[in-house]
Amino acid sequence: MRVITTISDLKAAIKAEKSQQKTIGFVPTMGYLHEGHKALLKKAREENQVVVLSIFVNPLQFGPNEDLESYPRDFEQDQKVAQEEGVDIIFHPSVTEMYPNELSVTMKVKKRTDVLCGESRPGHFDGVATVVSKLFHLVQPDKAYFGKKDAQQLAVIEGLVNDFNFPLQIVPVDTVREHDGLAKSSRNVYLSEKERAEAPALYRSLLDAVNRIKAGEVNPERIVQVISDRIQTETSGQIDYVSILTYPDLEKVEVVQGNFIMALAVKFSKARLIDNVILVEE
Ligand code: PAF
């Protein structure tokens, strides 16, 4: 496994792999790797000859009052995980390596951002689309792996790849959960013991909603109410949103049918957790 910190070394390494016609699987991350990332790396390892992992906490996707400075980082541990998962190249650039000057061009995501996390994090997905575009150009992957937990990010990236004809395939990977259903996240470490015990209620409320839909409920407002009531009763978190939208277009629904997502974000004292269930018509 090679750790590469400069763009010039990365370009040389990718050129060498490409010259041998090797397929490249890419897992972009901000580090502090957990089981969710491992699932992405495992899938990338299965499907490609070369696996590239990027670890870069991208300042462009953090708002002024967000957790850029305190975002958890542990590069030593991340290297161990990467080694165990059979990563070939870790790309771990500094902020000045990625953005030596203020960018003269950035991405502006126009659709799929005025809802869910995009609504409360203005500019977040512009920052994601900008860094992901840059990373795709550098790594030139055949396939790139994204978790379904960040379903809005996945939808935005799919739009980016389609609109700009990036020559790669996006591979969505299922959310990895703790034994009690809580979605794995780097931010779970910020939960107090009490909040950690409450947090599985998020996923339970989504599963409860799935059961109601399967039993014939089609009214999105009633389903949102049921999810919200349960979170308010069973946790001390503050609901940021509970939404039901079409997937992947993320448009409002009048009647719950077809392909849709039920998504939520809940703020605890030091962590904002997100989760979702995507239901696809069979
Ligand atoms: O999902 C993440 O960790 C980040 O948003 C990504 C895709 C690595 C871009 O910085």
Side-chain angles (χ1 to χ4, degrees), residues 1 6 25 40 65 79 86 91 94 99-100 115 135 142-143 145 149 152 163 213-214 218 227 234-235 240 258 271 274:
M1 183 176 80
T6 65
L40 304 180
N65 299 318
Q79 284 184 82
F91 180 49
S94 65
Y99 307 125
V115 290
L135 290 167
D142 296 277
K143 294 183 180 181
Y145 297 79
K149 176 169 160 284
Q152 187 170 21
D163 289 353
I213 292 163
K214 286 191 175 151
V218 290
I227 297 173
E234 296 183 18
T235 80
D240 191 347
I274 59 170

Side-chain angles (χ1 to χ4, degrees), residues 5-24:
T5 56
T6 65
I7 286 176
S8 58
D9 284 353
L10 180 66
K11 278 184 172 168
I14 297 295
K15 197 171 173 189
E17 302 294 1
K18 290 256 170 200
S19 70
Q20 297 174 60
Q21 273 79 45
K22 290 195 181 156
T23 56
I24 298 179

